[in-house]
Amino acid sequence: MAMDETITPAERVRIGLSGWGDHDDIYEKGTKAGEKLGMYGNVFPIVEMDNSFYATPSPERMEKWTAQTPDSFGFVVKAYQGMTGHARGKSPYPDSRTMFQAFRESAEVLRQAGKLSAVLFQYPPWFDCERKHVDILRRTREWMDGFPLALEFRHQSWFAGEMREKTLAFMKEEGWIHTVCDEPQAGEGSVPLVLEATREDVSLVRLHGRNEAGWHSSGQPNWREVRYLYRYSDEELEEWKEHIGKLLEKTRECWVIFNNNSGGDAADNAIQLMDKLGMKTPEKPPGQLSLFGEGEL
């Protein structure tokens, strides 16, 4: 793939976090919830909007968030849980098509503002590789026509044996952005690291940590506290620096989202990786001494 040699690898990488509300280390003490996104946008150029998984934001709320962020800022919007088969109980929508339409109207606000990086469809561990699920993916792509879509699996059958190449070919054919995952290798409910791009413009990377014991904790009351409890070591981040370089040989941009925040490690790790890639790193906010401390970078 021909690339502009005047553009450095660091200029082709965008690093951010999952959500903007829980990363206390990047905010001044006493920062109000409504002020955090604006401050986040001064630290990272991209964010994964995870609250959209639990309820589709109103277009008005999307307009508010758009106004709080820089012109060059990007949102990876996580698809509403009813659209990926996660939801339980009574749906707030009369049918699936209405649900998708409501989400389209919400995401359209960001798209019109040039701030929609992608809509992320992360499917559950029971969404395995079989014909009915391939049909669901085709229907989803049809119903979300016109929007950039990223696809993440949580069942290893999609990449087992000969299915690996077939799955990647399917994503290329349908125009899905491949979500490269770093996660514990904990049985069929996790996927291996697949350093492949399915589009020439961009790949998405989600770093979930490698906490194998906590990965299958969704049935426990404290699952949010343990599933993504992990801090990447310096050696592991060096490894990811190399991985990103390989992805950039196949795609123009790489977006990296740190999701290892059960223990508040995501922001520190993101800044460390930015430093390793030669990217400009932000100064620590007043009153915060733990972030970017000596020996951190």
Side-chain angles (χ1 to χ4, degrees):
M1 182 183 302
M3 296 293 176
D4 186 344
E5 294 183 358
T6 64
I7 301 176
T8 66
E11 292 176 301
R12 296 163 54 199
V13 180
R14 306 185 98 190
I15 295 176
L17 312 176
S18 177
W20 59 81
D22 298 330
H23 311 286
D24 292 337
D25 284 348
I26 66 174
Y27 305 119
E28 297 178 19
K29 291 183 177 180
T31 299
K32 297 178 181 178
E35 300 172 341
K36 288 184 174 181
L37 178 57
M39 296 181 67
Y40 176 100
N42 293 324
V43 180
F44 298 107
I46 193 168
V47 72
E48 179 184 305
M49 183 188 293
D50 55 2
N51 48 12
S52 54
F53 176 79
Y54 301 100
T56 298
S58 67
E60 292 75 21
R61 177 154 297 204
M62 287 294 206
E63 289 173 357
K64 179 181 178 181
W65 289 333
T66 297
Q68 292 175 346
T69 52
D71 290 344
S72 60
F73 193 79
F75 290 90
V76 175
V77 183
K78 201 168 183 182
Y80 172 61
Q81 59 184 332
M83 299 161 67
T84 53
H86 287 87
R88 293 291 180 266
K90 183 176 175 57
S91 173
Y93 302 99
D95 54 63
S96 295
R97 197 62 188 264
T98 303
M99 174 174 60
F100 271 77
Q101 184 58 34
F103 195 91
R104 285 181 62 96
E105 291 172 2
S106 175
E108 179 65 16
V109 175
L110 297 178
R111 192 167 76 96
Q112 289 293 330
K115 295 185 178 183
L116 179 65
S117 296
V119 178
L120 169 63
F121 281 81
Q122 177 207 300
Y123 286 91
W126 56 88
F127 192 86
D128 58 354
C129 184
E130 54 181 301
R131 174 57 58 186
K132 67 178 182 179
H133 291 151
V134 172
D135 291 342
I136 287 174
L137 293 175
R138 291 189 189 279
R139 186 193 67 181
T140 296
R141 195 70 192 87
E142 178 185 346
W143 286 2
M144 293 297 295
D145 184 49
F147 289 84
L149 304 184
L151 178 57
E152 177 175 342
F153 295 113
R154 285 285 172 87
H155 195 283
Q156 66 179 211
S157 60
W158 294 94
F159 296 111
E162 65 179 13
M163 291 313 301
R164 180 184 188 273
E165 296 308 316
K166 290 182 178 180
T167 295
L168 292 170
F170 169 78
M171 282 194 272
K172 289 179 181 178
E173 178 185 339
E174 294 287 311
W176 290 94
I177 299 168
H178 177 217
T179 304
V180 179
C181 296
D182 186 292
E183 60 192 41
Q185 296 307 291
E188 65 180 15
S190 57
V191 296
L193 179 66
V194 179
L195 289 172
E196 295 293 342
T198 53
R199 286 179 37 156
E200 292 188 351
D201 55 346
V202 69
S203 287
L204 174 64
V205 172
R206 296 182 81 217
L207 298 169
H208 299 300
R210 302 175 183 179
N211 182 357
E212 184 175 345
W215 189 244
H216 297 303
S217 60
S218 56
Q220 302 174 16
N222 66 336
W223 72 271
R224 293 181 191 281
E225 300 171 17
V226 299
R227 172 175 283 181
Y228 305 112
L229 183 60
Y230 191 82
R231 185 177 185 89
Y232 284 94
S233 68
D234 187 75
E235 292 75 18
E236 289 167 339
L237 293 176
E238 281 288 345
E239 186 179 73
W240 262 104
K241 175 183 175 181
E242 298 301 317
H243 290 338
I244 290 169
K246 291 178 180 178
L247 285 172
L248 290 177
E249 294 174 3
K250 306 170 184 179
T251 190
R252 283 194 297 274
E253 289 188 24
C254 184
W255 305 331
V256 182
I257 299 293
F258 279 85
N259 191 34
N260 58 320
N261 202 51
S262 291
D265 295 307
D268 273 348
N269 277 163
I271 298 298
Q272 286 177 282
L273 183 58
M274 290 170 71
D275 185 67
K276 288 181 179 298
L277 290 168
M279 303 169 72
K280 181 180 179 182
T281 57
E283 298 179 3
K284 65 177 183 291
Q288 293 288 5
L289 300 179
S290 62
L291 194 64
F292 329 131
E294 291 186 9
E296 294 275 341
L297 299 180

